[in-house]
Amino acid sequence: MLLQTVAPAAIEVALAVQDEIAQRIEQAAARRQAQLQRTRYEAELARRRYAKVDPDNRLVADALEAEWNQRLRELDTLQQQHERQQHEDEAQLDEPARKRIVDLARDFPRVWNDARTSALERKRMLALLIEDVTLVAGPSIAVHVRWRGGRTQSLCVDKPRPIAQIRKTPPEVVALIDELLETSTDRQIAVKLNALGHRNWRGEAFTMKKVILVRYAYALKSRFERLRERGMLTGEEVAKHLGVSSTTVHQLGRLGVLKRHLYGNNHRCLYEPPGNVTLVKGAGSRYGGRPPRLIAAQLSEQGAV
């Protein structure tokens, strides 16, 4: 709003600022002049007291003379300061200074957007252009701006969203993660979300850790919990069922003898229940061999008979 307003009314605003500067300079000069008059009066008063003293009373005469000299020194210092400040004020009010302010107003958008312009300098520019701003809270925020010179302008802006909403993952993404957890690990879900163009609340690509954070934030069941609810077994449980070691179970899983489902990273998986089966160990040689396999327990018993 500032840039849109200042651009067409740059000259008017600049001149209003110049007039305000001139008014402040006049007020300061009047205060200095009043102080100068008081100091001049005090110096004259000290002179009169010295002129009336009895010359034979040297002690009093010396004291009054010292006071008079002190008042004269103060008057001279103040007079010099007043003349120096008056010269500086005249430089601010001369035509070249007025032209510089007008040029600055014309170039205001460039100066405002310049990377070298600090936040403090922008605030100072605002203070020169705007008298005050009134905010009225409601369903939205009404902003009433009073410019230097009396002009007013209003606009309406939405309230800032709570941080909980700003950091909120879109509902459709949460629903998609919940659906993908039935078939995919956290790492696989991150890859699929990025392929579909989804991003988190910061606009960043998903990673495994970001998917885990969403799961915790929205209390989504992990893939491990979902597989367990479907009856999947851990490697230790399958090993106990088959009477073998966990290492053997994992090897059977890699060979495809046991059906497994990944639930985490580093090849963590759960296994489908093998049922009532018996493990037939494989046999190998340099010419090939027989891989391990599972057979139904009844067939195993018939083979033993």
Side-chain angles (χ1 to χ4, degrees):
M1 186 191 73
L2 179 69
L3 295 177
Q4 292 174 353
T5 303
V6 171
I11 304 301
E12 178 183 351
V13 173
L15 295 179
V17 171
Q18 179 73 356
D19 291 340
E20 182 169 346
I21 292 175
Q23 183 179 1
R24 291 183 181 182
I25 289 176
E26 290 177 1
Q27 293 172 352
R31 289 192 296 269
R32 291 197 307 272
Q33 188 65 36
Q35 184 180 9
L36 191 62
Q37 290 177 357
R38 286 195 303 269
T39 305
R40 186 179 291 111
Y41 173 77
E42 291 172 356
E44 178 63 21
L45 193 61
R47 185 194 67 80
R48 291 177 184 175
R49 285 198 295 266
Y50 174 73
K52 292 179 181 180
V53 72
D54 185 355
D56 295 334
N57 192 346
R58 297 306 308 165
L59 183 62
V60 176
D62 290 345
L64 292 176
E65 184 180 13
E67 180 185 2
W68 181 25
N69 291 333
Q70 176 64 26
R71 296 299 182 185
L72 289 175
R73 285 192 294 269
E74 293 176 357
L75 177 61
D76 182 63
T77 300
L78 194 61
Q79 182 69 41
Q80 292 180 15
Q81 292 176 350
H82 176 70
E83 292 175 356
R84 183 169 56 253
Q85 186 63 47
Q86 187 174 12
H87 179 71
E88 294 177 359
D89 292 344
E90 289 175 355
Q92 294 187 51
L93 296 174
D94 62 9
E95 191 58 32
R98 193 177 183 89
K99 183 178 183 301
R100 285 196 300 270
I101 293 179
V102 172
D103 292 341
L104 176 62
R106 286 174 176 161
D107 295 338
F108 182 77
R110 179 179 58 81
V111 175
W112 180 269
N113 293 316
D114 195 311
R116 294 170 295 179
T117 304
S118 66
L120 180 60
E121 291 170 331
R122 289 190 179 94
K123 290 179 180 179
R124 288 174 176 171
M125 286 188 277
L126 282 174
L128 288 174
L129 297 171
I130 294 178
E131 183 71 30
D132 56 53
V133 179
T134 302
L135 306 181
V136 181
S140 57
I141 299 178
V143 183
H144 303 293
V145 180
R146 187 155 60 100
W147 299 87
R148 298 287 185 182
R151 181 185 176 188
T152 60
Q153 193 171 356
S154 300
L155 70 157
C156 187
V157 297
D158 295 331
K159 286 184 175 180
R161 292 188 301 161
I163 192 65
Q165 292 185 9
I166 295 176
R167 296 186 176 184
K168 188 175 182 180
T169 303
E172 60 273 15
V173 176
V174 177
L176 181 56
I177 292 175
D178 189 31
E179 178 183 344
L180 291 173
L181 281 168
E182 294 292 337
T183 57
S184 308
T185 65
D186 296 324
R187 189 185 298 277
Q188 292 169 340
I189 291 173
V191 173
K192 292 178 181 179
L193 290 175
N194 293 331
L196 293 173
H198 294 295
R199 294 294 182 268
N200 72 344
W201 66 273
R202 289 182 182 272
E204 301 168 340
F206 276 95
T207 62
M208 178 192 70
K209 290 184 178 181
K210 289 183 175 64
V211 173
I212 292 174
L213 288 175
V214 173
R215 278 205 294 106
Y216 283 127
Y218 292 90
L220 302 179
K221 290 182 180 180
S222 67
R223 176 149 173 77
F224 178 85
E225 294 171 323
R226 295 165 192 255
L227 290 172
R228 292 292 281 176
E229 289 177 354
R230 287 157 50 183
M232 302 301 159
L233 304 176
T234 65
E236 291 75 11
E237 291 171 338
V238 175
K240 184 177 180 181
H241 178 77
L242 295 177
V244 297
S245 67
S246 298
T247 302
T248 300
V249 170
H250 296 321
Q251 183 180 8
L252 293 174
R254 289 191 293 270
L255 293 173
V257 177
L258 290 173
K259 294 183 179 180
R260 62 178 186 169
H261 299 271
L262 292 176
Y263 69 84
N265 305 292
N266 301 324
H267 307 291
R268 294 176 181 172
C269 58
L270 293 177
Y271 297 88
E272 292 187 8
N276 189 18
V277 297
T278 300
L279 174 63
V280 177
K281 295 182 178 180
S285 70
R286 69 175 64 182
Y287 303 107
R290 182 177 69 249
R293 66 186 189 280
L294 298 176
I295 62 173
Q298 294 179 350
L299 294 177
S300 177
E301 293 175 357
Q302 292 173 2
V305 173

